[in-house]
Amino acid sequence: NFLILSGAHAAAGLNVVSHARGEGVVHTIGAMNGGDMPMSALGPLDEKWKVRHPVKGYVTNLDGAISPVVHQWDRWSKELGRWLKSAFVDDAFVPGREPLYDRPPALVAFNPATCTDMPWKSKHRSGCARLRPEHFKWTSSPPESRPATEACCKFGGGIKRPPP
């Protein structure tokens, strides 16, 4: 990225073409699930980003064609892992036979005036606010060792009180 954006390739006499994400030979998907992404921008490759065939499982470019090279797929290992193992390790993938991945539950819409998160900290993230939907099975660090589903309003837990 630096070489392309700085113009170093052109200065050296090279003609380099940079395509937008999802339009070229290499489809870089890592940042779409990055830690810097706001919660509102997160979601599955098929439903949110529309770059995964919903039945056959492969990653697609924005035009629906199979992406020839998928860069940083490991950032999506929870979503792509089952399909990759079934299709390429076990050689047993049958489109549509089973779900492509375990979808995390939808977050619960809650009113901060009637629900407060319990104290919850882990070695990965501090507090319920930073947890993503796929973290619903996490448990806080000792001594509490409290499940996120019990502590966090977004997963249906938390401390409930009547409306004011």
Side-chain angles (χ1 to χ4, degrees), residues 44-122:
L45 290 170
D46 55 353
E47 294 174 358
K48 168 70 177 179
W49 296 100
K50 310 288 188 227
V51 294
R52 184 170 188 206
H53 192 282
V55 176
K56 295 182 180 177
Y58 52 78
V59 176
T60 63
N61 280 350
L62 297 176
D63 65 1
I66 296 173
S67 296
V69 177
V70 179
H71 181 51
Q72 297 180 335
W73 70 268
D74 59 304
R75 298 344 189 262
W76 292 87
S77 62
K78 287 184 181 176
E79 186 172 326
L80 292 172
R82 178 189 297 173
W83 174 77
L84 288 168
K85 182 178 183 304
S86 177
F88 298 104
V89 176
D90 300 339
D91 194 24
F93 180 71
V94 177
R97 182 174 62 194
E98 60 183 51
L100 293 172
Y101 60 97
D102 294 326
R103 297 180 192 274
L107 295 178
V108 175
F110 68 93
N111 181 347
T114 60
C115 187
T116 304
D117 291 331
M118 294 178 181
W120 196 96
K121 291 190 181 202
S122 78

Side-chain angles (χ1 to χ4, degrees), residues 140-151:
S140 64
S141 299
E144 292 87 13
S145 299
R146 183 177 290 130
T149 52
E150 179 184 316

Side-chain angles (χ1 to χ4, degrees), residues 25-45:
V25 176
V26 177
H27 191 164
T28 303
I29 64 171
M32 295 161 36
N33 198 26
D36 295 336
M37 268 303 212
M39 286 281 198
S40 61
L42 297 176
L45 290 170

